[in-house]
Amino acid sequence: MIKANDPSLHSWIEIDPESDFPIQNLPFGVFQTADRDPRVGVAIGEYILDLCELGSRGFFELIDFDPNVFHRPSLNDFLAYGKPVWRAVRNRVSDLLRNDNDEICGDSDLIRKCLVLQQAAQMLLPVKVRNYTDFYSSLEHATNVGTMFRDPKQALLPNWKHLPVGYHGRASSIVVSGTPIHRPKGQIKAPDMDVPVFGPTRQLDFELEVAFITGKETQLGQSIPPHEAEEYIFGLVLFNDWSARDIQSWEYVPLGPFLGKSFASSISPWVVTLDALAPLKVKGPVQDPKPLPYLQFLGHHNYDIQLEVLLQPENRPATSVCRSNYKYLYWNMHQQLAHQSSNGCNIQVGDLYASGTISGADKGSYGSMLELTWRGTQPLQLADGSERSFVEDFDTVIMRGYGQHHGIRIGFGEVRSRVLPAV
Amino acid sequence: MIKANDPSLHSWIEIDPESDFPIQNLPFGVFQTADRDPRVGVAIGEYILDLCELGSRGFFELIDFDPNVFHRPSLNDFLAYGKPVWRAVRNRVSDLLRNDNDEICGDSDLIRKCLVLQQAAQMLLPVKVRNYTDFYSSLEHATNVGTMFRDPKQALLPNWKHLPVGYHGRASSIVVSGTPIHRPKGQIKAPDMDVPVFGPTRQLDFELEVAFITGKETQLGQSIPPHEAEEYIFGLVLFNDWSARDIQSWEYVPLGPFLGKSFASSISPWVVTLDALAPLKVKGPVQDPKPLPYLQFLGHHNYDIQLEVLLQPENRPATSVCRSNYKYLYWNMHQQLAHQSSNGCNIQVGDLYASGTISGADKGSYGSMLELTWRGTQPLQLADGSERSFVEDFDTVIMRGYGQHHGIRIGFGEVRSRVLPAV
């Protein structure tokens, strides 16, 4: 076991047992405050540990890297050092926060300098996203969409069980939790219209996804076998793949989703490391037919991460509208990365690979309004008595996720976004 | 008229009348030599003018920018200054190279320091590509593909004449002319096969395209009307959108092209500015139906740029296999950028927007092997007596482009790539 994952560890910081951020998690993010410029930190309970402060005081001097990479507005320069450094830093942070270590906790001035309340900080986009791919790896989601838009008897297209279908998305419009989303405008042509019109989408939707971030590059022409994928993956975030269904359905033939997606995607600010998630590994769904050799893997590479989506109308209570789980994914992230690089496409530091909408078998586990309301035909009832077919202006969409092992909760925090009217 | 475009200008450098790079062109690129680290230069005849050297000697001191941006491995920092600086620098370079100016040509030591033979330099990727979109804006290409793969009677899909169809491509694998291309591997399932196999593509193809590069950003939520597009566009390059047709045809439903494209795209090293191309403006095809207001424009925004593709087997003469023209495009770049940003998607400095394959009405003007050989059914005869259905190992594909006004040739140079066997 990775030593920082030991369930018996305790910190000198008091941490609520319901917190997403116990000492066994230690996710990385980028933050700023009124008197701290953008820098890297680690979440611990209600606090952020300021790695930039610690680095400048020599706390990482036994690790072979330049701690100035923590004084940056993104994790990219830190990620470029690779897994041995990621792991050494996490282990060192774990040591510094343990209740039997007094390097920080014995110095009240130092505590003040290197601990920041999360409430007092603004979280920034954790990585400068270089390339973004969106997969389509949930069997249940692909089946639901195929049933609605094509043929219920042949809902899955012939390629779906042979390869992790995916497409390139827009990197520039990926934003961090808390960034308001303007309702996008676009061309819309409903089936009963003769010609398209241009205007605000009438079918704004979320998609519940999890994304992984790479921290190691390959050269053009090089491929990554599934058993090496873990060396490339730094960690995971929650991912809301905003979608405008009416724009998408008119534009997407024959080259795929474009403006129906590229107006925004939202991610959670804390990147939970693959190391912290290791205890949550579970077996994935049986894959039949057996994948081609370049997609075959040993061991378990699905993760038991409970996911939830809440919809909150303006000044009203939130309603939980979806409970799903990352473990439902048919294609795991090792296979996704192996497929992405199988043609020699080069991987970069800061790439983001999203899972596709994660739906389960039951209706309550569907990961989009499209599925939850079956294309708007079965509106959802919210706690305040209102109904929703799609997301409305001034609604806030909240996604949360966490896994548990030996009573220890490894959480993602949340990605939360409020929808504003079209500009 | 922009003064640097005056056809009566002459340089103190002797320039072949057939050169792509007369004093009226002055395209920007990034180069290095044995004793010069990566830096920005301008092509003039057979030479490169080293802007980094000129900047360090104060030759741009009347322009409000930091000339250290020329001492960079990409144009991005220069581009971020915007059109007034791009134009002022080009005008200043034009002045310095005029035959009635002796600031450089009067100093033989300075000439040696700031002029480099192109033959002695290695050209690098001119921009760090932030986001890459590939449009599909040639009516003839879309019609040919629709006829081959779908229904000759309904070759164009219903959306095609209403919006510039496009999709997001992979930015990481865009490489500069001269970079060898390894034949990609991938899943292939021919119609007569029961299950897919994994192996090298049997249908490697080029696509003749032109791409524009943006040098001004927008904020998320902001849209660019067509009449403002020119403020955002720095210049154009030739673009070879390599494609593996068998990988593409199996993977592309329902989310569009992915690994059949992402193994590589090649661009020419010199970015020809929109200012230099201004005299080549021509009227585009009539658009019927009339586009929606957000896609309407005044004036002419197509460009008369003659394009050519040559195919050269190993150690054999090259054969010209396609002659087309950028002016054939149905949707112009102003409309492409307006459409891309119409949903509020933010534009970044260093984005690349490719036109899609540029085919004309005649068979000799088709911009891909797919069309030229009609899906491999009508192989091309090459000058050495060999035949080609698609591109073979050790073939070199060369694309060239230029326009002419008042006898002045505004050229792009070439994008040239040799195909190597699968790794």
Side-chain angles (χ1 to χ4, degrees):
Chain A
M1 182 193 280
I2 298 163
K3 79 174 190 182
N5 294 352
D6 189 334
S8 69
L9 292 182
H10 289 280
S11 175
W12 48 264
I13 297 174
E14 196 176 339
I15 298 171
D16 187 313
E18 296 293 299
S19 170
D20 278 344
F21 308 122
I23 191 170
Q24 290 83 359
N25 191 347
L26 306 179
F28 289 74
V30 175
F31 73 102
Q32 64 184 9
T33 67
D35 52 6
R36 294 175 204 236
D37 56 3
R39 56 187 58 197
V40 173
V42 160
I44 179 76
E46 296 175 84
Y47 295 91
I48 301 169
L49 186 68
D50 184 335
L51 298 195
C52 177
E53 278 292 323
L54 291 178
S56 70
R57 288 174 161 72
F59 278 93
F60 299 111
E61 65 187 4
L62 296 181
I63 304 172
D64 188 18
F65 80 119
D66 175 3
N68 285 318
V69 293
F70 293 138
H71 198 181
R72 297 276 193 286
S74 80
L75 290 169
N76 296 51
D77 288 348
F78 169 58
L79 297 192
Y81 278 107
K83 179 147 283 192
V85 168
W86 312 337
R87 185 168 284 168
V89 168
R90 179 166 174 268
N91 283 337
R92 175 69 174 137
V93 168
S94 173
D95 283 346
L96 289 170
L97 292 173
R98 278 169 63 161
N99 57 3
D100 57 1
N101 180 306
D102 65 0
E103 291 177 78
I104 297 174
C105 87
D107 179 343
S108 60
D109 184 53
L110 183 57
I111 291 178
R112 240 189 338 269
K113 290 218 165 85
C114 69
L115 275 188
V116 177
L117 263 177
Q118 288 180 31
Q119 279 190 326
Q122 182 193 0
M123 297 306 299
L124 305 175
L125 195 67
V127 287
K128 184 171 173 175
V129 181
R130 293 296 301 274
N131 304 274
Y132 154 46
T133 289
D134 193 25
F135 287 98
Y136 187 58
S137 289
S138 155
L139 178 69
E140 292 78 8
H141 172 68
T143 303
N144 286 339
V145 173
T147 300
M148 269 184 265
F149 289 93
R150 285 182 297 271
D151 178 358
K153 289 177 185 156
Q154 297 184 4
L156 278 189
L157 287 165
N159 57 13
W160 199 92
K161 285 197 168 182
H162 292 281
L163 54 82
V165 170
Y167 66 101
H168 303 112
R170 179 84 184 183
S172 73
S173 53
I174 296 176
V175 297
V176 73
S177 175
T179 309
I181 305 300
H182 278 281
R183 178 176 296 272
K185 292 184 283 194
Q187 279 199 29
I188 297 164
K189 184 183 167 300
D192 61 348
M193 292 161 60
D194 290 332
V195 292
V197 297
F198 183 81
T201 176
R202 299 160 197 175
Q203 299 184 342
L204 182 63
D205 202 356
F206 58 77
E207 291 194 323
L208 171 62
E209 307 195 14
V210 169
F212 68 85
I213 291 165
T214 50
K216 182 177 177 180
E217 66 174 26
T218 61
Q219 296 305 305
L220 199 64
Q222 188 185 343
S223 298
I224 301 173
H227 71 270
E228 289 180 11
E230 249 170 47
E231 289 304 305
Y232 291 83
I233 300 171
F234 174 65
L236 276 63
V237 292
L238 302 173
F239 190 85
N240 182 350
D241 181 26
W242 293 99
S243 302
R245 300 300 178 189
D246 40 9
I247 297 173
Q248 187 182 347
S249 61
W250 168 236
E251 73 173 358
Y252 94 107
V253 284
L255 300 182
F258 186 45
L259 303 191
K261 299 280 191 175
S262 64
F263 60 94
S265 315
S266 303
I267 67 174
S268 54
W270 293 110
V271 186
V272 181
T273 63
L274 219 52
D275 277 352
L277 295 167
L280 305 177
K281 282 190 171 188
V282 291
K283 193 172 186 322
V286 173
Q287 297 187 328
D288 179 25
K290 189 175 175 181
L292 284 163
Y294 81 100
L295 293 172
Q296 291 173 12
F297 60 95
L298 293 171
H300 298 165
H301 304 299
N302 281 50
Y303 291 80
D304 184 0
I305 300 170
Q306 302 180 46
L307 303 168
E308 184 179 19
V309 185
L310 300 102
L311 192 55
Q312 181 172 25
E314 181 85 332
N315 298 321
R316 301 284 179 148
T319 303
S320 175
V321 298
C322 161
R323 287 176 187 275
S324 188
N325 195 305
Y326 186 50
K327 72 182 176 186
Y328 297 154
L329 274 199
Y330 187 87
W331 296 102
N332 65 51
M333 65 177 115
H334 291 221
Q335 296 178 303
Q336 289 169 343
L337 193 57
H339 186 62
Q340 175 84 53
S341 61
S342 63
N343 67 345
C345 175
N346 54 328
I347 305 302
Q348 295 184 313
V349 172
D351 287 354
L352 187 148
Y353 300 89
S355 58
T357 308
I358 303 167
S359 295
D362 304 324
K363 182 164 175 175
S365 65
Y366 294 172
S368 64
M369 292 295 278
L370 179 73
E371 295 163 270
L372 289 165
T373 71
W374 210 253
R375 227 178 162 176
T377 60
Q378 302 165 25
L380 285 183
Q381 304 292 324
L382 302 189
D384 68 347
S386 67
E387 283 191 347
R388 288 292 183 281
S389 295
F390 289 96
V391 181
E392 297 190 0
D393 288 348
F394 306 111
D395 283 354
T396 296
V397 174
I398 305 152
M399 296 179 176
R400 295 181 183 145
Y402 70 94
Q404 244 166 337
H405 73 107
H406 293 293
I408 304 295
R409 177 176 171 125
I410 304 295
F412 285 76
E414 62 182 27
V415 52
R416 171 189 288 262
S417 327
R418 184 158 172 263
V419 172
L420 299 180
V423 179
Chain B
M1 182 192 282
I2 298 164
K3 78 174 189 182
N5 294 351
D6 188 334
S8 69
L9 292 182
H10 289 278
S11 174
W12 47 265
I13 297 174
E14 196 177 340
I15 298 171
D16 187 313
E18 296 294 299
S19 170
D20 278 345
F21 309 122
I23 191 170
Q24 289 83 359
N25 190 348
L26 306 178
F28 290 74
V30 176
F31 73 102
Q32 64 183 9
T33 67
D35 52 6
R36 294 175 204 234
D37 56 2
R39 57 188 58 198
V40 173
V42 160
I44 179 75
E46 295 175 83
Y47 295 91
I48 301 170
L49 185 68
D50 183 334
L51 298 195
C52 177
E53 278 292 324
L54 291 178
S56 70
R57 287 175 161 71
F59 279 92
F60 299 111
E61 66 186 5
L62 297 181
I63 304 171
D64 187 19
F65 80 119
D66 176 2
N68 285 318
V69 294
F70 293 138
H71 199 181
R72 296 277 193 286
S74 79
L75 290 170
N76 296 50
D77 288 348
F78 170 56
L79 297 192
Y81 279 107
K83 180 148 283 193
V85 168
W86 312 336
R87 185 168 284 167
V89 168
R90 179 165 173 267
N91 283 337
R92 175 67 174 138
V93 168
S94 174
D95 282 346
L96 289 170
L97 292 172
R98 276 170 63 163
N99 58 3
D100 57 0
N101 181 306
D102 64 1
E103 291 177 78
I104 297 174
C105 86
D107 180 342
S108 61
D109 184 54
L110 184 57
I111 290 178
R112 240 188 339 268
K113 291 216 164 87
C114 70
L115 275 187
V116 177
L117 262 177
Q118 288 180 31
Q119 279 190 325
Q122 183 192 0
M123 297 307 299
L124 304 175
L125 195 67
V127 287
K128 184 170 173 177
V129 180
R130 293 297 301 273
N131 304 274
Y132 154 46
T133 290
D134 193 26
F135 286 98
Y136 187 58
S137 290
S138 154
L139 177 70
E140 292 79 7
H141 172 68
T143 304
N144 285 339
V145 173
T147 299
M148 269 184 267
F149 289 92
R150 284 182 298 269
D151 178 357
K153 288 177 185 157
Q154 297 185 3
L156 278 190
L157 287 165
N159 57 13
W160 200 91
K161 286 197 168 181
H162 292 282
L163 55 81
V165 169
Y167 67 101
H168 303 113
R170 179 84 183 182
S172 73
S173 53
I174 296 176
V175 296
V176 73
S177 175
T179 308
I181 305 300
H182 277 281
R183 177 176 297 273
K185 292 184 282 194
Q187 280 199 28
I188 297 164
K189 184 181 167 301
D192 61 348
M193 292 160 61
D194 289 333
V195 292
V197 297
F198 183 81
T201 176
R202 299 160 196 174
Q203 299 184 342
L204 182 63
D205 201 356
F206 58 77
E207 291 194 318
L208 171 63
E209 307 195 13
V210 169
F212 69 85
I213 292 165
T214 50
K216 182 177 176 179
E217 67 174 24
T218 61
Q219 298 303 307
L220 200 64
Q222 187 186 343
S223 299
I224 301 173
H227 70 271
E228 289 180 10
E230 250 170 47
E231 290 303 305
Y232 290 83
I233 300 172
F234 174 65
L236 275 64
V237 291
L238 302 173
F239 190 84
N240 182 350
D241 181 25
W242 292 100
S243 301
R245 300 299 178 188
D246 41 8
I247 296 173
Q248 186 182 347
S249 61
W250 168 237
E251 74 173 357
Y252 94 107
V253 283
L255 301 182
F258 186 44
L259 302 190
K261 299 279 190 177
S262 65
F263 59 95
S265 315
S266 304
I267 66 174
S268 52
W270 293 109
V271 186
V272 180
T273 64
L274 219 53
D275 277 353
L277 295 167
L280 306 177
K281 283 191 171 186
V282 290
K283 194 171 185 321
V286 173
Q287 297 186 328
D288 179 24
K290 189 175 175 181
L292 284 162
Y294 80 100
L295 293 172
Q296 291 172 14
F297 60 95
L298 294 171
H300 297 165
H301 304 299
N302 281 51
Y303 291 80
D304 184 0
I305 299 170
Q306 300 180 47
L307 303 168
E308 183 179 18
V309 184
L310 299 102
L311 191 56
Q312 181 171 25
E314 180 85 331
N315 298 321
R316 300 283 179 148
T319 303
S320 175
V321 297
C322 161
R323 286 176 186 275
S324 188
N325 196 305
Y326 186 50
K327 72 182 177 186
Y328 297 154
L329 274 198
Y330 187 88
W331 296 102
N332 65 52
M333 66 177 114
H334 290 223
Q335 294 178 305
Q336 290 169 341
L337 192 58
H339 186 61
Q340 174 83 53
S341 62
S342 63
N343 66 346
C345 175
N346 54 328
I347 305 302
Q348 294 183 314
V349 172
D351 288 355
L352 187 147
Y353 300 89
S355 58
T357 308
I358 304 167
S359 294
D362 303 325
K363 182 164 175 175
S365 65
Y366 293 173
S368 64
M369 291 295 279
L370 179 73
E371 296 164 88
L372 289 166
T373 70
W374 210 253
R375 229 177 161 175
T377 59
Q378 301 165 25
L380 285 183
Q381 304 294 323
L382 301 189
D384 69 347
S386 66
E387 283 191 347
R388 288 291 183 283
S389 295
F390 288 97
V391 181
E392 297 190 0
D393 288 347
F394 306 112
D395 284 352
T396 295
V397 175
I398 305 152
M399 296 180 176
R400 295 181 182 145
Y402 70 94
Q404 244 167 337
H405 73 107
H406 293 294
I408 304 295
R409 179 175 170 126
I410 304 294
F412 284 78
E414 63 182 26
V415 52
R416 171 189 290 262
S417 326
R418 183 157 172 264
V419 173
L420 298 180
V423 179

